[in-house]
Amino acid sequence: MSADGRGDGTVDAFVNHRNLLFTVAYEMLGSAADAEDVLQETWLRWADADHATVRDQRAYLVRITTRQSLNRLRAVGRRRESYVGSWLPEPLLTAPDVADDVELAESVSMAMLLVLETLAPTERAVFVLREVFDIGYDEIAEAVDKSSAAVRQIAHRARAHVAARRPRGMVSPADTRRALDAFRLAVETGDVQGLLDVLAPDVVLLGDGGGIKQAVLRPVAGADKVARLLCSRHARVATMSLHPAQVNGHPALVLRLDGAVDTVLALRIDGGLISGVYAVRNPEKLSHMRRETTLRR
C-alpha cells in the first residue's frame, strides 16, 4: 500500500499517465494552472473508482480528465469574458523533445491554442481527443456524453473550423529560427525597418497583462504600428534583455527585466513572415517558465 492507503497499482497507473493527462487538460484549457487543478480532481475520482471494472486504465483516466476539463472550461469561459484586455494561453517552457513531435508541437503552439479558443467546449474536446490524441469515436462519445454519430459530426465541424484559421502551411524549424533571430535583433537595436522586413503586412500583436502588468488592451494591427510599438518599448528600458527559449514546442523569446522574467514573446509565422506576436506579461501566467514541462501524447 502507498502512504495514502491506496494500492500501488492505483498510484502507478495515474503517475504513468500523468503527463498525457496534463497535456489533454492543457490543450482543452490553455492554462497550466487550470490543468493542474483538473489533474487533482481526476486523481480523486480515480482513487475512488472500482478498478476491478476498469478494462483500459488510459482510456478511463482520459475520460475523467476530459469531463473535468469540460466542467472547468465552461466555468473559466465566464471568467474570461470579464478579463482585462486580451486573454492569451499560459506559456510553457517545454523540453526539446516536444518539438520533435511535429503534430504535438503544432497542437500546443500559442497560435493553435488561440484557434481552439474559438471552438465551443464540446467541439474543442472532440477535436483535441480525435486530432491530437487519435482517440476512437466511441471512446470520445463516452467522454463527452454524446452518441458516436454525433461525435463524428462534431469532429467534422470542428476540423473545418480549425482548418480555416490555423497557420497556413508548416514552417521548418530553421525558417522559424531565422525569423525569430531577425525579430530579436531588430527589437534589440530599435531597427524599425528590420522589423518591417520580417513582419507580415497584416500582423497582429496581442498583449496579456491581466490587469496586473501594463499591456496593450486591444490588438495592435499592421506592420508599421507593431514595429514602432516593439522598438519604442524595448528602447525605454535599458535593463531589458531578450533570450531565446523553447515555449510550447516552438522557438520564442523571453524578455527579462533586471534578470527576472517579465514577458514571453511567442510568434505565429505564415509564409515565412511573422503574422502574430503574442506578449504574455501577466505574472500569474509565467510560473511555468521556471522549469520545463513534459508533454506527452
Side-chain angles (χ1 to χ4, degrees):
M1 298 292 286
S2 63
D4 63 359
R6 305 293 176 184
D8 288 340
T10 302
V11 177
D12 289 346
F14 184 81
V15 171
N16 289 341
H17 295 297
R18 190 188 188 285
N19 292 332
L20 162 70
L21 302 177
F22 175 86
T23 308
V24 170
Y26 177 72
E27 293 213 21
M28 284 187 60
L29 295 161
S31 163
D34 286 321
E36 293 285 2
D37 287 344
V38 163
L39 257 61
Q40 290 292 328
E41 294 160 1
T42 298
W43 161 250
L44 292 174
R45 283 158 179 76
W46 170 246
D48 287 339
D50 181 0
H51 299 102
T53 64
V54 176
R55 296 189 302 273
D56 185 333
Q57 293 177 334
R58 178 182 185 272
Y60 190 92
L61 284 163
V62 168
R63 186 159 64 245
I64 299 174
T65 300
T66 300
R67 288 174 177 170
Q68 296 306 313
S69 295
L70 278 170
N71 291 340
R72 181 60 61 100
L73 189 58
R74 293 177 179 119
V76 300
R78 292 188 288 272
R79 289 207 313 263
R80 289 173 190 174
E81 290 175 2
S82 59
Y83 195 79
V84 178
S86 300
W87 182 93
L88 289 173
E90 186 174 345
L92 303 177
L93 184 66
T94 48
D97 64 343
V98 174
D100 296 336
D101 185 337
V102 176
E103 290 182 356
L104 176 60
E106 184 198 13
S107 72
V108 297
S109 70
M110 297 289 277
M112 178 57 74
L113 290 175
L114 282 173
V115 171
L116 295 181
E117 281 290 310
T118 64
L119 294 172
T122 301
E123 288 179 329
R124 185 167 183 169
V126 170
F127 180 86
V128 166
L129 294 178
R130 182 62 186 168
E131 299 300 313
V132 181
F133 298 96
D134 197 28
I135 292 175
Y137 290 111
D138 290 343
E139 281 186 46
I140 298 173
E142 284 192 58
V144 300
D145 197 24
K146 300 282 185 182
S147 69
S148 293
V151 165
R152 288 177 184 273
Q153 291 180 335
I154 293 169
H156 177 75
R157 188 167 62 244
R159 199 178 298 121
H161 181 97
V162 170
R165 292 163 177 80
R166 77 196 315 162
R168 299 181 291 274
M170 298 296 292
V171 182
S172 71
D175 287 342
T176 299
R177 282 193 295 272
R178 275 195 290 272
L180 190 75
D181 289 344
F183 177 90
R184 176 188 178 188
L185 178 63
V187 172
E188 288 181 328
T189 58
D191 182 1
V192 173
Q193 185 57 52
L195 269 180
L196 291 174
D197 291 340
V198 75
L199 295 176
D202 58 350
V203 62
V204 175
L205 181 148
L206 299 176
D208 182 343
I212 302 171
K213 285 287 193 74
Q214 184 180 10
V216 292
L217 295 178
R218 296 182 204 61
V220 177
D224 187 68
K225 289 182 180 178
V226 171
R228 295 186 185 283
L229 175 67
L230 288 169
C231 287
S232 65
R233 290 207 166 184
H234 190 270
R236 284 200 295 267
V237 184
T239 56
M240 280 188 177
S241 59
L242 285 170
H243 303 273
Q246 196 79 4
V247 175
N248 289 55
H250 294 269
L253 294 172
V254 176
L255 190 153
R256 293 181 179 273
L257 177 59
D258 296 323
V261 174
D262 178 85
T263 307
V264 171
L265 288 165
L267 308 177
R268 169 173 171 157
I269 300 174
D270 286 300
L273 295 175
I274 297 168
S275 60
V277 180
Y278 311 119
V280 182
R281 298 201 70 209
N282 185 345
E284 295 177 352
K285 293 186 175 183
L286 299 178
S287 63
H288 279 73
M289 291 302 298
R290 300 189 191 109
R291 63 186 185 283
E292 288 183 353
T293 297
T294 302
L295 301 175
R296 287 287 179 268
R297 287 204 292 166

